[in-house]
Amino acid sequence: MIFDKGNIVKVAVLASGRGSNFEALCNGDTGNGRISLLITDNEKAEVLRKASSAGVESIYMSPGRYRTKFGETEEMAWTRFLMDRGIELVCLAGLMRIIKGPMLEEYSGRIINIHPSLLPSFPGLHAQKQALDYGIRITGCTVHYVDAAVDTGPIILQKAVDVKDDDTVETLSCRILRQEYIAYSEAVKLICSGVLSGSGRNRFHKER
Ligand code: GAR
C-alpha cells in the first residue's frame, strides 16, 4: 500500500496492556500519520488511561471467547469500527492476539507491528528472555508488516541493542523499549510519507 505524499493518514493503535508504545506514538514525530483511535481487548488496560490523557478516542471492544485470537464475529466488528472511523493504517502495540481473518483482508498491507527482537530471531512471546537464554550479544526491535503468520511479515525497520553481561530480562527490555519508541514513530512516518511500495519483502524503493 502506498499512501499519497502529503496526505494526512488516520492511524489506529490496537493494544492490550501498558501502552507505552501507544504513548510514544502520540508524542513522537509520525509525520503525516495522526494517531486517531485506540482499541483495546482489555477493559482494565493502562493504555485506556493513556489515551484519555492524550485526548485520543479510545474504546474497549470484546475480542470474543478465545485467549490468543479473535472470534470471527468480533474481528469483523473491530474491522467495521476501524473502517467507520476512516482508519487507514493500523499499529499493533502489545496486542496479545493474532490477527488472521477479516481485519487482515480489509487492511492487507496496512497493519504493522512492533516486536522486541531483531526478527527473524526470537519471534513469539518473551522475545527478550529468549535472547538472553540464547546468549546473543546483540538484539533489538523490529517494526514489520503483519501477515497471516506470527512475526514473519516484511520488515520496515530495526534498531539494534547491545546485550550487557549483567542484563536481566527487565534491564534488557527497558533498553529495547527505548529503541521501540523511536523505531515505531519513524516507521509510521516512513509509511505515511508514501515512499514504500506495496508488495514483496523489500518495500523500500527509489526514494531512500
Ligand atoms: C512491547 O515491548 C512490544 O514490543 C511487545 O509488547 C510490549 C508492549 O509494551 N510486543 C510483543 O512482544 C509482540 N510480539 P507497551 O504496552 O508498553 O507498548
Side-chain angles (χ1 to χ4, degrees):
M1 175 78 190
I2 303 174
F3 292 112
D4 290 335
K5 286 197 186 69
N7 285 0
I8 296 300
V9 176
K10 286 183 85 175
V11 179
V13 177
L14 311 187
S16 299
R18 178 179 55 189
S20 67
N21 273 290
F22 165 78
E23 192 171 42
L25 280 169
C26 291
N27 296 331
D29 175 9
T30 52
N32 293 331
R34 292 286 174 279
I35 310 302
S36 311
L37 178 66
L38 177 275
I39 312 183
T40 183
D41 59 345
N42 172 7
E43 282 172 292
K44 296 185 178 142
E46 208 180 318
V47 69
L48 283 168
R49 280 194 297 281
K50 290 187 166 139
S52 160
S53 309
V56 172
E57 179 185 7
S58 63
I59 182 170
Y60 158 77
M61 292 184 78
S62 168
R65 65 195 166 95
Y66 303 106
R67 216 170 46 85
T68 57
K69 64 175 188 174
F70 286 92
E72 176 99 6
T73 316
E74 286 80 8
E75 194 172 323
M76 183 64 83
W78 282 53
T79 307
R80 287 223 184 86
F81 196 87
L82 291 165
M83 291 165 70
D84 286 350
R85 290 293 187 277
I87 297 298
E88 294 167 277
L89 178 69
V90 177
C91 296
L92 311 186
L95 181 76
M96 301 312 285
R97 265 165 219 284
I98 296 162
I99 290 176
K100 274 188 182 290
M103 198 184 299
L104 202 53
E105 279 156 37
E106 190 58 47
Y107 280 93
S108 168
R110 293 186 295 147
I111 308 180
I112 64 174
N113 180 45
I114 186 143
H115 183 77
S117 74
L118 295 177
L119 291 171
S121 294
F122 314 125
L125 293 176
H126 312 303
Q128 304 92 334
K129 180 172 187 311
Q130 290 186 57
L132 279 180
D133 289 349
Y134 195 90
I136 207 116
R137 305 310 299 165
I138 299 174
T139 183
C141 63
T142 303
V143 184
H144 65 94
Y145 288 99
V146 172
D147 64 12
V150 176
D151 299 329
T152 55
I155 288 168
I156 300 163
L157 58 83
Q158 299 183 299
K159 301 272 179 203
V161 172
D162 285 329
V163 178
K164 296 184 178 166
D165 295 343
D166 59 352
D167 259 332
T168 61
V169 171
E170 289 70 30
T171 58
L172 181 59
S173 301
C174 185
R175 286 206 314 292
I176 294 173
L177 259 181
R178 287 205 290 272
Q179 295 305 311
E180 292 185 36
Y181 303 154
I182 298 166
Y184 221 172
S185 292
E186 256 182 44
V188 169
K189 184 174 182 176
L190 197 59
I191 291 171
C192 295
S193 70
V195 299
L196 300 185
S197 65
S199 62
R201 283 212 69 86
N202 194 334
R203 300 186 180 197
F204 292 99
H205 64 150
K206 53 196 182 284
E207 306 216 18
R208 286 199 90 229

